[in-house]
Amino acid sequence: MNSGFEPMDCEEAVLSLEDSKQRVLIYDPMFKAAKLLLEMRSRVIDIYSHHWQEESAQPKKRWLSDGVRCELLKPGGRWQSGKIRMRICLEFCPDEPVSPLDNIPQQMKEADAER
């Protein structure tokens, strides 16, 4: 069953949350989704977002990038060595489905600009 949620590209997306009771981690009514993702990642691995670029944060940040070495034991199985990592993403489900035809005006502008 598809719930309609799709992973979103967060680099430039902006979120607006009118209900202040639903805001988490960032309490501004409007913010970039990338800011929320950074805050989520930093909280999960216990690094404050303003320390994100520090060298001391690198070992913990591996949980979100290359993974960290571990051993895994599944029920009924045997120990298996490898890596584990976490993925944190935001997903969006529009109230109304987006039609491919909605992109035509933007595509026409881009084609005109290339001429």
Side-chain angles (χ1 to χ4, degrees):
M1 182 175 90
N2 185 354
S3 63
F5 282 91
E6 296 286 333
M8 50 185 279
D9 176 20
C10 295
E11 285 305 310
E12 296 300 321
V14 175
L15 299 171
S16 174
L17 299 173
E18 293 180 16
D19 186 349
S20 63
K21 294 175 186 167
Q22 293 180 339
R23 295 181 196 145
V24 295
L25 303 177
I26 298 174
Y27 296 96
D28 299 323
M30 190 177 299
F31 52 89
K32 283 190 174 184
K35 183 177 180 181
L36 177 59
L37 267 177
L38 174 61
E39 197 62 37
M40 291 167 55
R41 289 175 178 141
S42 64
R43 295 283 178 103
V44 164
I45 60 174
D46 196 29
I47 299 173
Y48 291 106
S49 56
H50 57 277
H51 296 295
W52 191 256
Q53 296 302 323
E54 293 178 8
E55 186 65 32
S56 62
Q58 297 309 312
K60 288 184 176 181
K61 285 171 59 175
R62 286 190 187 108
W63 274 95
L64 302 168
S65 59
D66 301 333
V68 294
R69 301 284 317 155
C70 70
E71 290 186 6
L72 173 69
L73 177 62
K74 294 180 182 178
R78 57 186 176 107
W79 285 102
Q80 185 176 10
S81 63
K83 287 184 175 183
I84 187 169
R85 72 175 174 186
M86 289 186 272
R87 290 287 185 208
I88 299 171
C89 72
L90 297 174
E91 296 180 332
F92 181 74
C93 177
D95 290 336
E96 298 177 18
V98 177
S99 165
L101 300 176
D102 292 342
N103 294 330
I104 290 177
Q106 180 63 29
Q107 291 170 349
M108 291 175 67
K109 284 181 188 178
E110 291 171 0
D112 287 342
E114 291 175 1
R115 290 183 201 170

